[in-house]
Amino acid sequence: MSAEVARVRAQVAALHGELVRYGLVAWTAGNVSARVPGRDLMVIKPSGVSYDDLRPDNMIVCDLDGVVVDGDLSPSSDTAAHAYVYRAMSEVGGVVHTHSGYATAWAARGEAIPCHLTAQADEFGGEIPVGPFALIGGDDIGKGIVATLSGHRSPAVLMRNHGVFTIGRDARAAVKAAVMCEDVARTAHLTRALGEPAPMARADIDALYDRYQNVYGQPGTSRPNP
């Protein structure tokens, strides 16, 4: 494997630690994948392996049909879904799946998370949508992700009765979207418990999204949505 594949393997292995750090996963559930730049390849975690045991050398390299190219273990059971997203959305460089508690509760209700927070407007540009129910193992989940997020500002989708899938220009951006999705879902739940949320005007949501995506951050560094 090339130096670029080795780099992506190391990145994907490290980013799984962020899922643990932010409390987005339990046991061996959840996964991060990344597209290998300039190659029709992706890197994803092995199925059913403890997060404590994930290392660059046991990350699995697959082609964009989900076929293993390099690796001694079986890839994640969500590999076909990730691969479908990469085939259908050329701009996507990273995909993340979690069953984080609050966001998955919204998915179990089959309810989109409405936008009542500036942080949600910044990151998601409006509501976090719900995708269709699909069984694990094939590419139906991937089809639902693509159908829901194509043309949508949100990098996160709540797959009905399942959990969260996020996309990004790279794997780190997809992990960030998963972290922010859970944060927004928790606050939205607490807001509902307190009463009716105060509405936000569409023009304000648009202005917040534009500022965060195109102005926020330090000059000379990557914007959230360059």
Side-chain angles (χ1 to χ4, degrees), residues 6 22 26 55 66 69 83-84 89 100 134 149 175:
Y22 285 97
R55 308 180 309 274
V69 172
Y84 185 90
M89 305 178 82
S100 59
L149 294 185
V175 169

Side-chain angles (χ1 to χ4, degrees), residues 143-220:
K143 291 175 181 177
I145 295 166
V146 170
T148 306
L149 294 185
S150 292
H152 202 292
R153 286 175 171 174
S154 175
V157 56
L158 311 175
M159 293 300 286
R160 190 182 299 266
N161 301 109
H162 186 172
V164 180
F165 281 84
T166 61
I167 59 175
R169 68 177 183 276
D170 55 30
R172 185 176 183 275
V175 169
K176 179 194 174 190
V179 172
M180 297 304 295
C181 181
E182 179 63 5
D183 184 65
V184 163
R186 181 177 62 251
T187 306
H189 169 78
L190 294 172
T191 302
R192 283 271 183 94
L194 292 171
E196 186 63 27
M200 289 183 70
R202 182 74 247 180
D204 291 335
I205 293 172
D206 292 345
L208 287 161
Y209 181 76
D210 179 71
R211 178 202 66 87
Y212 186 73
Q213 299 296 323
N214 299 304
V215 178
Y216 176 83
Q218 296 300 313

Side-chain angles (χ1 to χ4, degrees), residues 28-31 42 44-49 60 62 66 74-83 97 99 135-142 162 165:
T28 63
N31 41 70
M42 56 178 273
I44 196 166
K45 74 182 281 283
S47 178
V49 174
I60 310 302
C62 298
S74 298
S76 166
S77 58
D78 291 307
T79 296
H82 288 238
H97 172 47
H99 301 152
L135 292 175
I136 301 166
D139 61 10
D140 285 347
I141 291 174
H162 186 172
F165 281 84

